[in-house]
Amino acid sequence: MASHRRPKQPSRTRVTVLTATAAAAVALSSQAAQADPHQSKKDVKSEVDKLYNEAEQATEKYDGVKEQQDKLQKEVDDLQDKVARGQGELNQLRKGLGAVASGQYRSGSIDPSVQLFLSGDPDTYLEKAATLDQLSGKQAEQLKTVADKQRRLAQERAEAASKIKDLTETRKALGDKKDEIKGKLGKAQQLLNRMTAKERAAMQAEENRANRSNERVNLGDDVPASQRGAAALAAAQSKIGSPYVWGATGPSSFDCSGLTSWAYQQAGQSLPRTSQAQANAGTRISSQSALKPGDLVLFYSDLHHIGLYAGNGQVLHAPKPGAAVRYEPMSNMEFAFGVRV
């Protein structure tokens, strides 16, 4: 029998994440000019860091919308497949009634109950037929099955239409958030382009030193929060040096919550996608002194940044565009609280 499963529609929302190098291409290098003499390298770096921070805030929102979109897409696909299968089953029921009608027509009479097949309104016919006592028990059961199937199909089609509307709105929100991130990164690159080559080289050297800090960091001898926390931290440590890419969840590049969710997945624990959602993934720890290696660490009042506590006041995280997964002193950021998964 032919399959009535509806083929999957290709997702039009699959978004290609931009690496820091691709983001840099947003600004045309030909437009680069000498740095504003009234704006120091320190001022430029401060403004660039601010834009990167805003881009990360937008990235966490993007991740949340993307997760919602993926969930809706699956629900839509499942509903559409269900409708297609239901329609196939209904067609088979109608085909059976049609065979009965054909046989009765050839014998010179059509049972009034079989008129259902031609009427297209099983509920109305059932009411009339029941009043006239024209249906046998078996016929009534068959006709009720068709009527119930039609009602369920109508409900499922309505539900699918509602989900498709939600999906369309979510796709637009995703596109808007993507544009916001690209805009922030583009503005940051424009500021960098206004610096002299010497100033840019000095700033890059500073970033390189921060990335190399992993070679000499002292993590102390704290006992991990749990065996699972130790496994998650070990997984994240294996990705030191991997680039920050917004929207990325590994295994070769990450954003901040992408790294923590990937690390815990390797330890056998599923975490929500965004830092705000991961904040509710376990027991909150308000004091930095109570943190143990493997605990999640949230930063800033809106919880838009997250990492893994590594010990001795160090956090292992995917910091920002242009940076690599690395250790960094927690004191460099605004600590909110920790979470023991």
Side-chain angles (χ1 to χ4, degrees), residues 52-71:
Y52 282 162
N53 190 54
E54 291 173 354
E56 187 177 44
Q57 288 176 295
T59 293
E60 284 302 296
K61 293 176 182 176
Y62 169 93
D63 291 341
V65 176
K66 182 67 167 63
E67 184 177 44
Q68 182 184 6
Q69 175 198 263
D70 292 344
K71 180 182 177 183

Side-chain angles (χ1 to χ4, degrees), residues 144-214:
K144 186 176 183 302
T145 299
V146 172
D148 289 345
K149 177 67 70 175
Q150 287 184 324
R151 279 195 297 271
R152 285 197 299 272
L153 276 176
Q155 292 170 354
E156 289 163 2
R157 286 193 176 102
E159 186 179 356
S162 176
K163 293 289 184 184
I164 289 171
K165 181 176 180 293
D166 291 343
L167 182 59
T168 301
E169 293 172 355
T170 302
R171 283 172 175 164
K172 183 182 183 305
L174 192 69
D176 291 344
K177 199 55 63 179
K178 175 186 175 184
D179 291 342
E180 181 182 349
I181 295 167
K182 290 171 64 178
K184 299 289 185 185
L185 296 178
K187 287 180 181 178
Q189 187 60 44
Q190 288 173 354
L191 284 172
L192 293 173
N193 285 348
R194 285 163 46 194
M195 300 175 71
T196 65
K198 183 177 180 181
E199 288 171 330
R200 287 197 299 272
M203 188 178 291
Q204 186 59 54
E206 184 179 340
E207 193 64 45
N208 291 341
R209 282 194 296 274
N211 287 336
R212 289 196 302 270
S213 66
N214 305 285

Side-chain angles (χ1 to χ4, degrees), residues 4 84-94 149 152:
H4 296 283
R85 287 194 300 272
Q87 185 63 57
E89 292 168 3
L90 181 60
N91 291 343
Q92 289 299 312
L93 289 170
R94 287 179 176 274
K149 177 67 70 175
R152 285 197 299 272

Side-chain angles (χ1 to χ4, degrees), residues 14 39 42 90 188 300 325 333 341:
R14 191 165 296 159
Q39 190 174 35
K42 182 179 179 181
L90 181 60
Y300 306 107
V325 173
M333 296 168 284
V341 178

Side-chain angles (χ1 to χ4, degrees), residues 160-326:
S162 176
K163 293 289 184 184
I164 289 171
K165 181 176 180 293
D166 291 343
L167 182 59
T168 301
E169 293 172 355
T170 302
R171 283 172 175 164
K172 183 182 183 305
L174 192 69
D176 291 344
K177 199 55 63 179
K178 175 186 175 184
D179 291 342
E180 181 182 349
I181 295 167
K182 290 171 64 178
K184 299 289 185 185
L185 296 178
K187 287 180 181 178
Q189 187 60 44
Q190 288 173 354
L191 284 172
L192 293 173
N193 285 348
R194 285 163 46 194
M195 300 175 71
T196 65
K198 183 177 180 181
E199 288 171 330
R200 287 197 299 272
M203 188 178 291
Q204 186 59 54
E206 184 179 340
E207 193 64 45
N208 291 341
R209 282 194 296 274
N211 287 336
R212 289 196 302 270
S213 66
N214 305 285
E215 301 167 4
R216 56 184 182 277
V217 67
N218 177 14
L219 299 179
D221 55 1
D222 292 352
V223 177
S226 65
Q227 184 175 358
R228 182 167 290 171
L233 179 59
Q237 287 169 328
S238 73
K239 294 302 177 179
I240 288 175
S242 299
Y244 177 102
V245 175
W246 65 268
T249 57
S252 58
S253 57
F254 305 88
D255 62 22
C256 69
S257 56
L259 175 66
T260 50
S261 60
W262 179 87
Y264 263 94
Q265 185 179 30
Q266 309 318 300
Q269 176 68 50
S270 176
L271 291 184
R273 176 61 182 92
T274 67
S275 57
Q276 290 90 345
Q278 290 178 22
N280 299 313
T283 304
R284 292 196 178 188
I285 302 167
S286 57
S287 171
Q288 293 188 41
S289 61
L291 291 171
K292 294 289 186 181
D295 286 339
L296 298 174
V297 188
L298 282 298
F299 296 95
Y300 306 107
S301 59
D302 64 352
L303 311 179
H304 73 263
H305 190 70
I306 193 169
L308 287 161
Y309 185 67
N312 198 28
Q314 299 284 325
V315 63
L316 180 58
H317 67 153
K320 61 184 180 180
V325 173
R326 68 191 186 202

